[in-house]
């Protein structure tokens, strides 16, 4: 049986397709330790670099994101116009995915001294599960465009 991270990646891939939002999704499959993140999604006005994480716990430790991934997401976010480095955290027992841009995540951690995120932490955007997909809507895209 596949692990929860692999299942989440597959569910999110189906969710992007089901969204009916014009996009191109690329799963990054470089071998080696230096893969910057799990996927790239190109929207009409935005380029997203996404690190995907899944937990069955009530909280997610930021330390689970590898240092080179944090560095890559920050670099991509700052270097390129209309580009966001995002972390998608699936809280599987609550059927939600918290989407947080990397700059907000690191700022939150620095300002609060907290190295974990809970499903009810008031940063980011929550995607809700419906059936076998997470609902990716135009409201979510508008949220991203406002970052």
């Amino acid at each position: 049986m596949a692990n929860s991270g692999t299942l989440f990646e597959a569910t999110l891939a189906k969710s992007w397709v089901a969204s009916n939002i014009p996009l191109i999704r690329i799963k990054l499959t470089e071998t080696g330790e230096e893969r910057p993140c799990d996927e790239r999604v190109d929207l009409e006005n935005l380029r997203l670099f996404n690190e995907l994480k899944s937990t069955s716990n009530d909280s997610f430790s930021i330390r689970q994101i590898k240092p080179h991934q944090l560095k890559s997401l920050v670099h991509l976010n700052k270097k390129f116009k209309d580009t966001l480095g995002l972390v998608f955290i699936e809280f599987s027992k609550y059927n939600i995915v918290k989407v947080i841009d990397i700059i907000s995540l690191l700022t939150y951690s620095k300002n609060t001294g907290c190295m974990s995120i809970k499903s009810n932490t008031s940063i980011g955007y929550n995607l809700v599960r419906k059936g076998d997909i997470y609902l990716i809507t135009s409201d979510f895209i508008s949220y991203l465009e406002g970052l």
Side-chain angles (χ1 to χ4, degrees):
M1 184 174 167
N3 71 34
S4 61
T6 302
L7 293 173
F8 171 50
E9 286 183 24
T11 300
L12 193 60
K14 285 193 298 188
S15 302
W16 284 115
V17 171
S19 72
N20 291 319
I21 294 169
L23 61 88
I24 297 171
R25 178 189 172 272
I26 303 165
K27 179 175 173 46
L28 301 180
T29 58
E30 294 177 28
T31 57
E33 226 176 291
E34 297 304 310
R35 184 172 53 131
C37 58
D38 292 313
E39 69 177 8
R40 174 178 163 174
V41 176
D42 292 345
L43 303 168
E44 185 177 345
N45 298 315
L46 277 176
R47 181 174 33 203
L48 312 176
F49 288 89
N50 305 328
E51 179 58 24
L52 312 180
K53 298 295 183 184
S54 181
T55 183
S56 58
N57 298 323
D58 291 328
S59 66
F60 170 81
S61 172
I62 296 168
R63 290 183 176 99
Q64 289 180 262
I65 305 169
K66 295 175 183 165
H68 77 273
Q69 292 171 323
L70 289 170
K71 184 178 177 181
S72 294
L73 291 173
V74 168
H75 173 76
L76 292 163
N77 198 82
K78 289 183 174 181
K79 182 171 181 155
F80 299 104
K81 184 181 180 201
D82 301 323
T83 298
L84 294 173
L86 301 171
V87 180
F88 284 63
I89 306 166
E90 178 188 49
F91 290 92
S92 57
K93 73 183 190 179
Y94 299 111
N95 288 320
I96 65 162
V97 172
K98 185 164 282 297
V99 183
I100 309 169
D101 73 278
I102 194 65
I103 303 302
S104 295
L105 180 64
L106 295 175
T107 301
Y108 168 83
S109 179
K110 181 180 176 185
N111 290 345
T112 64
C114 188
M115 290 301 293
S116 64
I117 297 292
K118 294 187 177 195
S119 62
N120 63 354
T121 301
S122 62
I123 65 169
Y125 187 97
N126 289 346
L127 299 176
V128 178
R129 189 172 183 129
K130 182 174 183 181
D132 63 347
I133 63 167
Y134 286 98
L135 298 177
I136 297 175
T137 64
S138 58
D139 287 343
F140 173 58
I141 303 306
S142 294
Y143 165 80
L144 294 176
E145 290 172 344
L147 292 176

